[in-house]
């Protein structure tokens, strides 16, 4: 791994730290501050806990001696709310929050959501659409000369020209619309600290074009770089050998006009995502260039420990009183043990944001945090609700050879098969589980994070430990589909891996004398999925006694490979050409998306009419009828309208039974 200066090399933490980062001038007065060095603006309520990005950013800057204030969920109708803490000395830090504001605000069918888990009372409508852009514009109106630093997942996933599902078009890099001075992408602790210290020393932020994990609008690429042009996807690949090489991507104007070129650009971006070998990227927007430095160097375990052990209050800001904040209620008794994901699922944005290298905390740091949860978190009754991360069981898993890892450009370490160079030893995680549940005052330690079952089957001891001690009745896992076609576009393992895991899970549950169930999650309408694929999935669900009541329909999030498939109809998992490259069916029509969702809920009478019509059109009327092998009952009448609104409930498992294969 590339060496980097210690994250805390220039730290000079205040003694004592602020009880909470200030949200008002009165709080600043109590701290003896005349002005903030940095004002952070976020679309979330301010919760001082390491699960919330602004808390990490704020406490990290505080540890480096900077005075940091927070403006949470401001009124964006004018600039006044952005002046409540006065003019920041160095910069505004802008983020939409822990979630992309459009994903937060709209369903996959583009329907408005009426709640927001990151807002007191769960109230919806407290952040604008495209919040990062709106907040940046209002901050600029409030203080025209104060630099704008963009960060967070919304900005990170929009750092180059990107397909926007909600407007159904390719939009410019968010830098162009927000008119920000710099964008920090990924987990940006290193870049943030460097920007703050260099700004504090008097350097202008727009001149900081050499910081890893940052993007900026420039007139031309830095002169130290040789630019290799990869705007022609039909010709030979450019010469990428040598030292300082930057790859020129097709311009915004080109990818907006040519969906196939968009898919090619997406592929190149993902190939340049390994921090050990990624090159700088440059993309023209009119007469300007968007310049992207290589991704940030992952944090070491010692650095990650120090970040998570900053002096968080581990509570919402007192200004919220007794208001319930759903996101806080969900995570307040949970502990994150790692970052990153090497799964590379095509529909997921974790890899694009957090990277493929797993960054794990030390055992001691995790155990100390569990003790802090026990001692400091109001309402703790002895249960740690989750110990995990983006994936439950990638803790301390890594490439066996640093040299191989430094050269690797695979999009996934586990697809199409688990790489022979990937270490899959779950021993350290088992040891951590055992020590966690041995802590005084801790009664249970649950695992609620997504489990990578194709890795888990490599360690039957892990499955036994998990089932015996860390499952609370149901374990949710995500095979996403049963059919080879869509699974190949998702970069997910075949259903046989799920079947093997279920065998181990059931054996472990029986040995432990427990009645536990697996709850599989599936995606409807993913690119590459045919109506017949969904029919086969529905038949599998029925054979195995599953009735899914909460299902997910594919949502094309910015920058994901699956979104490139959806927009372009091409497969960016392979080289893309205007002719001869693999085409992918994209499910865009509302009726077909509803049909795919209906197959997942084959048992709902509301869906029977559309399913009957589809089965007849597919020549499978034999699946209509009362038989156990048939999917929906016969008849022609639609069910009566419901008397009132339905209430979602958990996925049903109709009865325990051995898995039924085809």
């Amino acid at each position: 791994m590339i060496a980097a200066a210690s994250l805390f090399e220039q730290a000079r933490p205040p003694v004592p730290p602020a009880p909470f980062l200030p949200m008002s001038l009165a709080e600043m007065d109590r701290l003896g501050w005349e002005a903030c060095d940095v004002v952070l603006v976020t679309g979330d309520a301010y919760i001082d806990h390491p699960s919330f990005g602004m808390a990490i950013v704020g406490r990290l800057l505080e540890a480096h001696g900077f005075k940091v204030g927070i403006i949470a969920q401001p009124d964006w109708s004018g600039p006044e709310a952005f002046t409540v803490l006065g003019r920041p000395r160095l910069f505004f830090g802008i983020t939409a929050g822990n979630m992309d504001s459009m994903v937060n605000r709209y369903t996959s069918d583009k329907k408005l959501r009426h709640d927001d888990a990151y807002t007191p009372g769960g109230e919806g409508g407290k952040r604008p659409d495209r919040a990062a852009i709106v907040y940046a514009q209002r901050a600029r109106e409030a203080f025209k000369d104060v630099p704008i630093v963009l960060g967070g997942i919304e900005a990170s996933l929009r750092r180059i020209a990107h397909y926007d599902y909600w407007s159904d078009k390719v939009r410019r890099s968010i830098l162009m619309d927000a008119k920000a001075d710099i964008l920090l992408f990924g987990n940006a602790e290193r870049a943030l600290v460097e920007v703050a210290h260099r700004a504090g020393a008097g350097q202008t932020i727009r001149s900081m074009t050499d910081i890893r994990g940052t993007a900026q609008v420039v007139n031309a690429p830095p002169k130290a770089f040789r630019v290799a042009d990869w705007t022609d996807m039909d010709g030979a690949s450019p010469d990428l050998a040598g030292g300082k090489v930057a790859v020129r991507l097709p311009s915004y104007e080109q990818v907006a006009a040519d969906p196939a070129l968009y898919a090619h650009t997406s592929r190149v971006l993902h190939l340049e995502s390994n921090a050990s070998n990624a090159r700088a990227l440059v993309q023209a927007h009119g007469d300007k260039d968007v310049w992207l430095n290589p991704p940030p160097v992952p944090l070491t375990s010692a650095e990650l420990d120090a970040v998570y052990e900053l002096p968080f209050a581990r509570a919402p800001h007192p200004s919220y009183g007794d208001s319930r904040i759903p996101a806080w209620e969900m995570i307040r008794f949970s502990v994150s043990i790692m970052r990153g994901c090497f799964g590379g699922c095509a529909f997921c944005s974790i890899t694009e944001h957090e990277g493929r290298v797993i960054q794990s905390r030390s055992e001691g740091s995790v155990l100390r945090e569990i003790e802090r949860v026990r001692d400091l978190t109001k309402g703790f009754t002895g249960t740690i609700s989750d110990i995990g991360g983006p994936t439950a069981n990638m803790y301390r898993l890594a490439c066996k050879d640093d040299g191989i890892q430094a050269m690797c450009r695979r999009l996934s370490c586990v697809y199409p098969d688990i790489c022979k160079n990937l270490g899959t030893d779950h021993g350290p995680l088992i040891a951590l589980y055992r020590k966690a549940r041995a802590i005084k005052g801790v009664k249970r330690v649950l695992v609620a994070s997504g489990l990578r079952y194709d890795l888990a089957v490599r360690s039957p001891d892990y499955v036994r430990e998990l089932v015996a001690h860390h499952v609370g009745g149901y374990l949710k896992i995500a095979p996403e589909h049963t059919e080879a076609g869509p699974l190949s576009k998702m970069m997910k393992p075949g259903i046989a891996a799920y079947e093997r895991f279920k065998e181990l899970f059931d054996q472990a549950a029986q040995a432990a004398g427990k009645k536990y169930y697996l709850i599989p999650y599936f995606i409807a309408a993913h690119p590459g999925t045919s109506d017949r694929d969904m029919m086969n999935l529905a038949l599998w669900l029925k054979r195995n006694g599953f009735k899914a009541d909460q299902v997910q329909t594919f949502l094309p999030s910015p920058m994901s490979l699956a979104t490139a498939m959806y927009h372009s109809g091409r497969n960016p998992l392979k080289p893309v050409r205007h002719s001869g490259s693999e085409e992918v069916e994209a499910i865009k029509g509302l009726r077909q998306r509803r049909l795919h969702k209906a197959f997942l809920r084959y048992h709902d009478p509301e869906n029977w009419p559309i399913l009957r019509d589809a089965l007849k059109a597919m020549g499978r009327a034999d699946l209509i009828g009362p038989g156990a092998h048939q999917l929906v009952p016969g008849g022609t009448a639609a069910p009566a309208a419901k008397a009132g609104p339905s209430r979602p409930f958990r996925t049903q498992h109709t009865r325990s039974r051995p898995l039924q294969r085809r």
Side-chain angles (χ1 to χ4, degrees), residues 125-286:
K126 291 297 183 179
R127 75 183 82 209
D129 292 354
R130 312 188 197 287
I133 294 174
V134 175
Y135 290 160
Q137 292 170 343
R138 292 294 178 264
R140 186 75 78 193
E141 292 171 16
F143 297 102
K144 187 176 181 179
D145 59 336
V146 175
I148 302 292
V149 177
L150 281 184
I153 193 165
E154 180 166 306
S156 187
L157 299 184
R158 290 169 167 79
R159 55 190 183 263
I160 65 169
H162 53 280
Y163 173 73
D164 182 82
Y165 172 63
W166 298 273
S167 59
D168 192 25
K169 68 178 184 180
V170 175
R171 291 178 63 99
R172 303 187 299 176
S173 164
I174 194 172
L175 275 164
M176 306 299 292
D177 292 327
K179 296 180 172 55
D181 295 82
I182 197 168
L183 183 155
L184 315 184
F185 61 86
N187 291 124
E189 287 95 346
R190 292 194 193 281
L192 174 71
V193 166
E194 186 167 353
V195 168
H197 280 295
R198 286 165 67 167
Q203 184 178 352
T204 61
I205 289 178
R206 284 191 179 270
S207 69
M208 301 178 193
T209 57
D210 59 339
I211 301 175
R212 294 184 69 107
T214 66
Q216 288 175 289
V217 177
V218 297
N219 291 322
K223 293 181 180 179
F225 284 80
R226 177 176 67 83
V227 177
D229 192 315
W230 209 344
T231 59
D232 180 7
M233 68 183 194
D234 295 315
S237 300
D239 176 14
L240 300 174
K244 287 198 168 186
V245 176
V247 177
R248 180 168 288 283
L249 303 172
S251 70
Y252 156 69
E253 290 79 9
Q254 288 176 300
V255 298
D258 186 343
L261 204 54
Y262 181 93
H264 163 72
T265 302
S266 178
R267 176 174 173 79
V268 174
L269 175 78
H270 285 81
L271 290 174
E272 299 295 338
S273 61
N274 181 348
S276 294
N277 59 38
R279 305 171 182 92
L281 301 174
V282 58
Q283 184 180 52
H285 284 60

Side-chain angles (χ1 to χ4, degrees), residues 19 125 127 182 186 202 286-287 302 362 396 411 421 424 556 593 647 657:
R127 75 183 82 209
I182 197 168
D287 61 353
S362 70
R396 292 198 184 177
L411 297 176
N421 297 307
T424 58
R593 285 174 68 85
R647 185 171 66 181
R657 62 167 77 174

Side-chain angles (χ1 to χ4, degrees), residues 30 129 175 196 261 282 339 384 453 474 493 499 525 555 571 653:
R30 287 195 290 272
D129 292 354
L175 275 164
L261 204 54
V282 58
R339 286 180 178 175
I384 297 297
Y453 52 87
Y474 293 89
E499 293 170 348
L555 193 160
N571 183 7
H653 192 290

Side-chain angles (χ1 to χ4, degrees), residues 74-139:
D75 177 0
W76 66 90
S77 61
E80 293 76 19
F82 295 76
T83 67
V84 295
L85 298 181
R87 181 188 185 280
R89 189 173 67 87
L90 298 180
F91 59 82
F92 275 110
I94 305 289
T95 177
N98 267 24
M99 284 183 69
D100 182 290
S101 63
M102 301 302 286
V103 175
N104 178 282
R105 191 101 164 97
Y106 298 94
T107 71
S108 58
D109 292 328
K110 302 183 183 180
K111 294 180 179 178
L112 185 68
R113 300 184 196 272
H114 297 288
D115 59 353
D116 185 338
Y118 293 87
T119 300
E123 184 180 357
K126 291 297 183 179
R127 75 183 82 209
D129 292 354
R130 312 188 197 287
I133 294 174
V134 175
Y135 290 160
Q137 292 170 343
R138 292 294 178 264

Side-chain angles (χ1 to χ4, degrees), residues 518-599:
L518 284 180
I519 301 298
Y521 275 58
F522 299 94
I523 294 179
H526 190 279
T529 307
S530 67
D531 295 352
R532 192 167 296 273
D533 289 329
M534 292 306 301
M535 178 193 74
N536 288 334
L537 171 53
L539 290 169
W540 184 94
L541 289 170
K542 186 174 184 183
R543 281 196 304 272
N544 290 286
F546 289 112
K547 291 184 177 180
D549 285 284
Q550 293 175 322
V551 301
Q552 53 185 338
T553 307
F554 171 68
L555 193 160
S557 59
M559 199 178 280
S560 76
L561 287 161
T563 296
M565 297 179 200
Y566 176 89
H567 173 58
S568 70
R570 307 297 179 97
N571 183 7
L573 305 181
K574 302 175 181 178
V576 180
R577 303 281 187 268
H578 278 111
S579 61
S581 56
E582 182 182 353
E583 296 186 358
V584 178
E585 180 182 3
I587 296 81
K588 294 186 176 182
L590 183 59
R591 189 181 189 283
Q592 192 180 18
R593 285 174 68 85
R594 286 177 176 170
L595 172 62
H596 283 208
K597 190 173 181 179
F599 271 120

